[in-house]
Amino acid sequence: MTYNYFPGRLRFRDPILRVSDIRNAALEVVRLICPQAEITYKESTASILAIYPEAAVDPEALKPLVPLLLKIEPKIRFYTPKKKADILAGITEIKAWIEKKNKQVEQGVITK
């Protein structure tokens, strides 16, 4: 998967995003990270682009996601339909981490 990041803009592309279940799960995660993001998917390049207010996302706060991403990255890189369930489970784990963090922020346990 290819990632391009600039503050306020994130694009990731990979043929796996043409698999609708995986793409939809990835879009859910992006929306959780930044609800105010303007998100588009381009089928011809199999890419998702999220444009968001730069101050809305702290990249440092997302570093704990790296081990979770690295866990599913080999399955994404060498994708076969047999790996779909494992990839979706990994995305669900990422989503759960983000939801837990967002809930802690809402409760004032941690700051964003």
Side-chain angles (χ1 to χ4, degrees):
M1 185 164 290
T2 305
Y3 302 91
N4 298 98
Y5 166 77
F6 300 98
R9 178 183 168 103
L10 172 66
R11 178 184 302 274
F12 49 105
R13 72 176 50 140
D14 192 278
I16 198 170
L17 294 172
R18 289 193 174 105
V19 179
S20 62
D21 292 341
I22 293 172
R23 177 180 63 248
N24 291 337
L27 288 169
E28 281 183 50
V29 169
V30 174
R31 285 186 192 103
L32 281 173
I33 291 171
C34 187
Q36 57 270 59
E38 183 180 314
I39 304 167
T40 55
Y41 169 70
K42 191 171 185 179
E43 179 69 27
S44 62
T45 59
S47 67
I48 293 173
L49 172 65
I51 299 173
Y52 55 90
E54 186 177 331
V57 177
D58 176 14
E60 288 296 313
L62 299 176
K63 281 188 177 182
L65 290 176
V66 172
L68 298 175
L69 290 167
L70 290 175
K71 197 163 121 181
I72 61 171
E73 192 274 333
K75 294 174 180 93
I76 291 171
R77 188 177 335 138
F78 302 108
Y79 177 72
T80 64
K82 289 181 181 180
K83 297 177 184 176
K84 181 178 175 181
D86 289 339
I87 293 168
L88 288 172
I91 294 172
T92 299
E93 191 175 353
I94 291 166
K95 184 179 169 187
W97 184 92
I98 295 167
E99 288 173 334
K100 179 181 175 185
K101 182 181 179 291
N102 287 348
K103 188 173 183 176
Q104 290 172 335
V105 169
E106 287 173 13
Q107 294 173 343
V109 174
I110 61 171
T111 59
K112 204 168 194 182

